[in-house]
């Protein structure tokens, strides 16, 4: 099964490295390794609506870079596999842009958007409490701020990343962008 198309936000390299260090410390403790590129998803779909991509290209340049603040930990999923993520808050301008883009994606939940950074993908539900406890232990209490420095449209089925806003110097085509 191919991962869905995404309109997503990338972190600067230093922050991405910090997240990957957390992934590595969790893996050292025996938890499933996390291979995904750290990112914040605005919306996703098996094939992204052209209107959503166009509107993202219009709206996102005015809000990138955008600050995010970690405000908690959330668990997504109702089946055997769960996702653990950092819950994030951002500016009203980014929030408004993301909701408008999401509303143009027929596969989304309308104008709803829950900004988050996935820290544990496809985890067996039995390990989630221990994973959250370990995540809290290995994450520096000072690592609370994140910055979205680039917005992009990622199409994994053809391995194409189109930068919509922000720094294009970090353009990479080898992402594994799944966030569910």
């Amino acid at each position: 099964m191919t991962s869905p198309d995404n309109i997503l936000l990338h972190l600067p390299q230093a922050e991405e490295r910090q997240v990957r260090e957390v992934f590595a410390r969790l893996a050292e403790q025996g938890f499933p390794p996390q291979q995904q590129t750290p990112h914040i998803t605005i919306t996703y779909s098996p094939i992204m609506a052209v209107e959503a991509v166009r509107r993202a290209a219009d709206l996102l340049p005015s809000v990138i870079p955008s600050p995010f603040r970690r405000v908690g930990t959330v668990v997504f999923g109702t089946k055997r596999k769960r996702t653990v993520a950092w819950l994030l808050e951002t500016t009203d301008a980014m929030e408004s842009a993301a909701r408008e883009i999401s509303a143009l994606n027929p596969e989304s939940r309308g104008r709803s958007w829950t900004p988050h950074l996935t820290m544990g993908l496809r985890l067996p539900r039995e390990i989630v409490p221990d994973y959250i406890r370990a995540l809290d232990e290995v994450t520096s209490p000072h690592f609370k701020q994140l910055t979205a420095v680039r917005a992009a449209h990622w199409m994994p089925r053809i391995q194409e990343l189109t930068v919509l806003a922000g720094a294009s110097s970090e353009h990479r085509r080898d992402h594994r962008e799944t966030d569910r």
Side-chain angles (χ1 to χ4, degrees):
M1 178 176 131
T2 302
S3 296
D5 288 3
N6 287 270
I7 296 175
L8 49 85
L9 307 171
H10 286 125
L11 307 175
Q13 288 181 348
E15 290 176 11
E16 184 176 314
R17 193 171 25 259
Q18 285 181 279
V19 172
R20 289 184 185 280
E21 287 171 9
V22 171
F23 290 165
R25 292 185 68 198
L26 290 165
E28 287 169 3
Q29 292 188 23
F31 292 105
Q34 299 299 303
Q35 304 299 324
Q36 69 272 14
T37 298
H39 67 278
I40 302 162
T41 299
I42 291 177
T43 190
Y44 62 89
S45 176
I47 297 178
M48 187 60 61
V50 173
E51 299 82 23
V53 177
R54 282 188 191 136
R55 192 64 180 140
D58 290 341
L59 292 174
L60 294 175
S62 68
V63 294
I64 298 294
S66 187
F68 286 81
R69 186 170 57 91
R70 288 192 315 119
V71 295
T73 304
V74 294
V75 178
F76 296 110
T78 57
K79 297 183 180 174
R80 174 148 172 61
K81 299 289 183 168
R82 305 289 169 91
T83 295
V84 172
W86 285 337
L87 183 63
L88 306 172
E89 288 183 347
T90 189
T91 64
D92 289 344
M94 173 55 86
E95 191 76 43
S96 177
R99 289 178 187 279
E100 185 173 335
I101 294 162
S102 183
L104 293 170
N105 175 9
E107 300 290 326
S108 75
R109 298 180 350 231
R111 292 187 60 83
S112 180
W113 183 51
T114 305
H116 65 278
L117 184 89
T118 297
M119 296 305 296
L121 189 62
R122 296 184 188 97
L123 300 172
R125 70 174 166 232
E126 298 81 21
I127 72 167
V128 168
D130 292 333
Y131 193 89
I132 292 171
R133 200 169 10 268
L135 177 61
D136 287 346
E137 290 170 5
V138 303
T139 303
S140 168
H142 304 289
F143 185 30
K144 293 183 182 195
Q145 302 296 322
L146 299 164
T147 307
V149 294
R150 180 176 68 187
H153 175 214
W154 170 238
M155 295 173 284
R157 69 190 179 289
I158 60 173
Q159 296 291 292
E160 185 174 295
L161 181 76
T162 303
V163 175
L164 304 172
S168 61
S169 62
E170 297 181 33
H171 181 99
R172 292 170 288 201
R173 289 182 175 263
D174 61 342
H175 292 235
R176 289 176 180 84
E177 304 289 0
T178 48
D179 191 37
R180 288 188 302 163

